[in-house]
Every structure is written in structure tokens, then in C-alpha cells.
Amino acid sequence: MVGALASPVSGRRLAVACELRHTRVSMTSKEPPLDRDALEALTESTLGHYQSRAERFWEGTRDHDVSQNRDALLRHLRADGPARILDFGCGPGRDLIAFAAAGHEPVGLDGAERFCEMARTHSGCEVLHQDFLALSLPDARFDGVFANASLFHVPTQELPRVLSQLWATLRPDGVLFASNPRGDNHEGFNGARYGSYHDHSRWQALVTACGFVELEHYFRPPGRPRAEQPWLATVYRKPRV
């Protein structure tokens, strides 16, 4: 909730955030695009949620087994030697620790300042403090991007731009892994967090429109009926031109 933000949402953005929290938007409808105030409001609210709960988030997720997802990225990499991996939405650093332990060279990125501090302490890795909607990434630096439970926080209208930025920071033959909660192509607030909930075909259309080629997809947790698999995991390659 707004009252839990690490810093208050001011004036116009507060009103916009309150209005958005009662709105469920179809991604395929002709709704007007979110303006700058709305984008700033949903970003502040979402980051404020994580910022104010950083320690609890670490304790609740540090032992989650997402090795299936890390392995899905790693088996498609074509790097000679240790891979440069951008952990996009690294949180407090669980997967940075795992990638580094496997001999790779991960770099974290998160919009919540407290997460960045924790990730640096826990992993010893470089961690970039960047808003997903205001990225500044080096060109062709990474062999892989690991976006585990992070890209769904990007509003659909902004996804083509963000995906293009991830494309640009990948080397040729680089791999993008993404795991997102699947849904029926609607977006909006879930409590204080903004999310976009895509089905596979919609997500595939968005990612391939940026030039990526799908390598595989699956649903999580493994071994359960589809109705009990709320997560969609996908792996895409940036082909050589």
C-alpha cells in the first residue's frame, strides 16, 4: 500500500496510483497508453513494496529452488569460458550467488536500492541500481540475461522498448531467459505491485517482435497439473545477423 512506501508518492502520482489500483486493463484493448505520471506512480509503488520488505523477501525466497530456470539459461549459452550474465531483477542476490559458484561472471540489476545493497553483500558481485523503465546498459556485453520473476513488472506498452534494450546488451547468439506469472493478458495492481500477466502466445509475440527466436518454454512448478503451474518460463536467442 502507498503508506508502506520507503518515500512518499507525491501529489499527482499518488492520485494516479490510487486510481490505477482499481483498474484491470486488457492488453489487447484500445485503452489509452499510460502517461509519464502513471508510469512513475506504478514504479514508485512497486519498488516501495520491495524496498520496505527487503529483509522479509530475502528470508522468504533465499531457499527457493529455481535451478531449473538457471539451467535452462546455461544450457543454451555459447560462451567460450565463463559466461557474462545479467541477472535482471536480481533481488537480494540468490541467483548471483549460484551463477558465481558455477564459475560464471554475473552482474546484478535491480530497481530497489535495498535489494542492490543486499545483493552486493551476499554475492560480492557488481550490482547496478537501475529502474527497469530507465535502463542504461552497455552494448553487446552479456552472453545471457536472466530475468526471473522480473519482466512482468514492466507495463505492456513499455515492453518493446525494454526488450530491445536487453537485445542490445546481449552479444550475438546471446540468450534471454524470462519467467513470469502467466495470465489472461491483463495488467494492473496486485496490492501495491504492478504486473502484466501474459499467456504464452501473447508473450511469444512480444518477444519475437523484437527479433528474438524462441528456444523452449515450460511451466512451473514441474510435475504438477497445468492449473497448478502459475509460472511461464521461456528461453530466447538473439540470432547472429
Side-chain angles (χ1 to χ4, degrees):
M1 297 180 65
V2 174
L5 294 183
S7 58
V9 180
S10 60
R12 163 72 175 149
R13 292 201 296 275
L14 174 60
V16 170
C18 291
E19 180 178 352
L20 282 171
R21 286 180 192 177
H22 298 286
T23 304
R24 185 170 183 266
V25 179
S26 170
M27 302 171 192
T28 57
S29 69
K30 299 299 182 181
E31 297 287 341
L34 298 168
D35 63 17
R36 184 176 64 180
D37 284 333
L39 292 172
E40 290 180 354
L42 66 87
T43 296
E44 288 188 29
S45 185
T46 301
L47 291 179
H49 171 91
Y50 288 116
Q51 183 80 1
S52 66
R53 295 163 173 79
E55 282 72 21
R56 277 180 285 169
F57 185 89
W58 171 245
E59 292 303 324
T61 63
R62 62 188 298 179
D63 295 324
H64 283 186
D65 181 6
V66 295
S67 57
Q68 181 187 19
N69 292 347
R70 292 191 299 268
D71 291 345
L73 171 71
L74 293 174
R75 68 171 162 267
H76 291 290
L77 295 181
R78 295 175 176 171
D80 294 325
R84 295 283 291 177
I85 298 169
L86 177 65
D87 188 350
F88 184 83
C90 65
R94 177 196 60 210
D95 298 311
L96 289 172
I97 296 169
F99 284 129
H104 300 292
E105 299 174 0
V107 174
L109 183 150
D110 208 281
E113 186 173 9
R114 182 64 184 131
F115 276 173
C116 293
E117 295 168 353
M118 295 169 73
R120 294 185 191 110
T121 299
H122 293 151
S123 70
C125 296
E126 177 185 4
V127 179
L128 308 175
H129 180 212
Q130 294 188 21
D131 178 348
F132 292 176
L133 302 187
L135 296 172
S136 179
L137 298 172
D139 288 340
R141 181 179 181 187
F142 296 101
D143 301 296
V145 172
F146 186 70
N148 190 71
S150 55
L151 279 171
F152 79 99
H153 286 310
V154 177
T156 304
Q157 71 180 49
E158 302 299 308
L159 259 176
R161 177 173 61 84
V162 173
L163 289 169
S164 294
Q165 291 171 310
L166 296 182
W167 163 283
T169 204
L170 281 169
R171 296 169 177 167
D173 279 339
V175 176
L176 168 66
F177 171 89
S179 177
N180 298 305
R182 62 188 181 91
D184 58 355
N185 300 319
H186 283 77
E187 63 189 288
F189 275 96
N190 180 4
R193 296 178 296 173
Y194 193 89
S196 302
Y197 305 97
H198 311 272
D199 63 18
H200 175 248
S201 61
R202 177 64 172 163
W203 178 251
Q204 182 185 57
L206 287 161
V207 182
T208 57
C210 294
F212 288 98
V213 176
E214 186 177 77
L215 300 174
E216 64 171 298
H217 74 273
Y218 55 88
F219 300 93
R220 280 181 52 86
R224 295 186 181 179
R226 185 59 47 80
E228 298 176 12
Q229 293 178 310
W231 292 90
L232 168 65
T234 58
V235 190
Y236 286 84
R237 187 178 305 284
K238 174 183 177 177
R240 291 184 176 273
V241 177

